[in-house]
Each structure stands twice: as C-alpha cells, then as structure tokens.
C-alpha cells in the first residue's frame, strides 16, 4: 500500500489499520465510561439512566424499522425464543455494569 512517504506491504497495512481502529475503540470506550461514571455519581440513579437510554433507543429503532420496512429484521418464533435468554443476560449485565459504577473505581472491567 503506497502511503505517499513510504510503502507498506499488505499485511503490515492491515495490521496498522486494525491497531489504529482498536486503539480508537478502546479510547472511545474509556471516555464514554468516564462520562457515564461522572453522570452516575452525580445522579446516584443508575436504573433511571439505563431506563432513559432504553426509552430513547427503543423508539428510535422502532421508528427506523417502521420507516424502511425492507430492512426490518425478520425472525421466526423459534429464533426469537433462542434470542430471549441472551437478551435477558445482556440486559442484566448492562444493569449490573451501571450499578457497579456507583460502588467502585473505574477499571477495565467496566469497559464492555
């Protein structure tokens, strides 16, 4: 890959690009979690914040699916039944993560 000043082999370019994207993802997650920790410590209401996030996100997704029905996910009842335990565990993990911010220092365990 010709970068202008130097030429990188394909594997090196792929590794560099992957490393940059991974670093940006970790950095953005860390900043997001610090902002959430500050908000949760100020409000002391982790369930309220999680509920507000779901209350904004779910209608936004529903509106998007309603607006463009060709992109609406189509799942059989069997598939929905298989996803419910995963969704429940994901929701429980998110709630536990929100509550954990109130009781301890921010560490890598909080970054998900």
């Amino acid at each position: 890959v010709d970068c202008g000043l130097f030429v990188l082999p394909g594997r090196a370019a792929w590794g560099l690009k992957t490393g940059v994207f991974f670093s940006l993802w970790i950095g953005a997650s860390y900043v997001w979690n610090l902002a959430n920790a500050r908000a949760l410590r100020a409000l002391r209401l982790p369930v309220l914040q999680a509920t507000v996030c779901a209350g904004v996100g779910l209608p936004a997704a529903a509106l998007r699916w309603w607006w463009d029905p060709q992109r609406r996910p189509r799942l059989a009842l069997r598939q929905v039944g298989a996803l419910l335990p995963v969704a429940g565990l994901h929701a429980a993990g998110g709630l536990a993560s929100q509550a954990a911010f109130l009781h301890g220092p921010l560490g890598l365990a909080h970054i998900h």
Side-chain angles (χ1 to χ4, degrees), residues 20-36:
V20 167
F21 284 145
F22 184 74
S23 300
L24 288 172
W25 174 65
I26 290 293
S29 293
Y30 192 69
V31 169
W32 172 261
N33 283 321
L34 284 175
N36 273 344

Side-chain angles (χ1 to χ4, degrees), residues 24-84:
L24 288 172
W25 174 65
I26 290 293
S29 293
Y30 192 69
V31 169
W32 172 261
N33 283 321
L34 284 175
N36 273 344
R38 293 182 78 196
L40 285 169
R41 286 193 178 99
L43 289 175
R44 306 287 298 172
L45 299 169
V47 176
L48 175 67
Q49 185 175 2
T51 304
V52 168
C53 287
V56 171
L58 290 174
L63 181 64
R64 173 68 176 109
W65 291 339
W66 175 76
W67 191 263
D68 188 6
Q70 291 180 347
R71 297 184 133 202
R72 184 181 312 144
R74 299 191 195 310
L75 299 172
L77 191 56
R78 188 181 96 248
Q79 292 171 314
V80 172
L83 288 175
L84 283 177

